[in-house]
């Protein structure tokens, strides 16, 4: 969410009515999340000036660990230098820390491609926005889910019940520090997640939604403490419930 919001902001800066705007003091502390969108808190160090040049050798974009040769345009300006400076700063301050984590395994290669392409400045901001929107579409639609054996049949569903909330086993990246609360596309995906965790014996698809509209599922190490809840469905592993009376 943070990275997507950032590239949309950089897209606007690259195509603003004032021209391409560069953030000269590009630091995480200069941004804040407002209603799920990243905002710049300080525009004092923003500039529309692009580096003047006479030849291509005048257009090297230097960073502490990398340098990029750019072209000198016929107008005597280094082509796209403001856009590329913003994008590489987004890569080194945000993408490298946020993109490799949290995504479903099937989407990680796509995020790795974005990371590598922006780190080498092979992508401009237009290509970066398109790449992020493709990942978002796959994530929201569930198209990233590979064909796999149907696992939900190995679970008993009890409508009108949920387990008692409380501290349980932890997982990563959980939305709750008290237990294992993860974003899912469907109960089928939740069943696959539960099967992959040795502690998991049951799960509940909650009424909570993430910023993409995906429901959150709470994964539990037991299922015995059930309480009535007309809006809930608890899914229990058949192996866990064998020999017990439901």
């Amino acid at each position: 969410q943070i990275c997507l919001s950032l590239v949309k902001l950089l897209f606007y800066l690259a195509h603003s009515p004032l021209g391409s705007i560069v953030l000269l003091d590009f630091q995480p502390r200069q941004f804040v999340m407002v209603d799920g969108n990243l905002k710049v808190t300080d525009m004092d160090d923003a500039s529309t000036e692009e580096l003047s040049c006479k030849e291509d050798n005048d257009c090297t974009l230097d960073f502490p660990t990398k340098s990029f040769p750019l072209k000198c345009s016929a107008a005597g300006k280094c082509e796209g230098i403001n856009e590329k400076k913003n994008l590489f700063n987004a890569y080194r301050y945000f993408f490298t820390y946020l993109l490799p984590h949290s995504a479903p395994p099937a989407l990680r290669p796509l995020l790795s491609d974005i990371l590598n392409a922006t780190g080498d400045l092979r992508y401009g901001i237009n290509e970066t926005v398109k790449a992020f929107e493709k990942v978002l579409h796959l994530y929201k639609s569930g198209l990233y889910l590979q064909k796999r054996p149907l696992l939900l049949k190995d679970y008993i569903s009890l409508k009108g019940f949920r387990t008692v909330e409380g501290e349980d086993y932890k997982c990563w990246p959980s939305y709750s520090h008290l237990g294992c609360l993860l974003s899912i596309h469907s109960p089928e995906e939740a069943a696959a997640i539960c099967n992959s965790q040795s502690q998991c014996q049951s799960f509940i698809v909650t009424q909570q939604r993430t910023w993409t509209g995906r429901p959150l599922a709470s994964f539990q190490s037991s299922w015995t403490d059930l309480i009535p809840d007309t809006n809930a469905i608890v899914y229990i592993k058949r192996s866990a419930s064998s020999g017990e009376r439901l």
Side-chain angles (χ1 to χ4, degrees):
Q1 181 180 12
I2 293 171
C3 292
L4 176 65
S5 188
L6 177 58
V7 297
K8 288 182 176 180
L9 172 61
L10 297 188
F11 179 86
Y12 173 79
L13 294 179
H15 301 284
S16 85
L18 299 175
S20 183
I21 299 174
V22 63
L23 301 176
L24 298 174
D25 186 19
F26 197 115
Q27 299 282 342
R29 65 174 179 267
Q30 299 284 26
F31 299 90
V32 64
M33 290 292 285
V34 180
D35 297 328
N37 294 306
L38 208 65
K39 306 285 187 181
V40 183
T41 61
D42 185 1
M43 293 294 288
D44 289 346
D45 295 307
S47 173
T48 58
E49 292 294 321
E50 292 197 303
L51 188 63
S52 298
C53 57
K54 292 183 179 179
E55 56 184 26
D56 291 350
N57 288 339
D58 297 329
C59 293
T60 301
L61 182 56
D62 289 317
F63 292 95
T65 58
K66 280 190 176 183
S67 296
F68 301 95
L70 305 181
K71 296 290 186 182
C72 183
S73 71
K77 298 290 184 181
C78 296
E79 288 185 357
I81 191 167
N82 287 352
E83 172 187 328
K84 292 179 185 297
K85 189 171 185 178
N86 284 340
L87 190 54
F88 190 79
N89 277 328
Y91 158 80
R92 66 180 181 139
Y93 287 120
F94 287 89
F95 298 171
T96 54
Y97 297 104
L98 300 177
L99 285 188
H101 311 292
S102 306
L107 292 178
R108 288 174 194 166
L110 296 178
L111 294 176
S112 180
D113 287 345
I114 294 174
L115 192 64
N116 293 332
T118 53
D120 295 334
L121 286 184
R122 286 184 285 110
Y123 280 0
I125 191 61
N126 293 1
E127 295 85 357
T128 304
V129 168
K130 287 180 182 178
F132 268 102
E133 288 180 340
K134 176 183 177 181
V135 174
L136 179 64
H137 171 67
L138 293 173
Y139 184 61
K140 291 174 71 173
S141 65
L143 291 173
Y144 68 91
L145 293 169
Q146 300 169 343
K147 290 185 178 180
R148 62 182 76 181
L150 298 178
L151 301 174
L152 199 59
K153 59 179 174 37
D154 297 328
Y155 289 76
I156 297 169
S157 63
L158 291 177
K159 294 182 179 180
F161 290 93
R162 63 176 173 85
T163 53
V164 176
E165 292 183 9
E167 192 166 343
D168 206 321
Y169 77 90
K170 313 292 194 301
C171 68
W172 190 89
S174 177
Y175 282 79
S176 169
H177 67 280
L178 296 176
C180 186
L181 187 66
L182 300 175
S183 161
I184 61 165
H185 176 259
S186 64
E188 186 63 53
E189 184 180 15
I193 292 172
C194 189
N195 275 24
S196 70
Q197 298 174 345
S198 59
Q199 307 100 313
C200 185
Q201 298 298 318
S202 66
F203 65 87
I204 303 165
V205 179
T206 74
Q207 299 299 305
Q208 295 175 269
R209 300 272 170 172
T210 69
W211 65 281
T212 60
R214 287 162 55 99
L216 293 177
S218 177
F219 297 87
Q220 308 279 340
S221 60
S222 66
W223 59 271
T224 52
D225 296 327
L226 298 179
I227 57 174
D229 186 336
T230 56
N231 296 318
I233 303 176
V234 60
Y235 296 85
I236 304 166
K237 278 184 178 177
R238 291 183 183 276
S239 58
S241 64
S242 58
E244 301 283 349
R245 293 182 62 187
L246 296 180

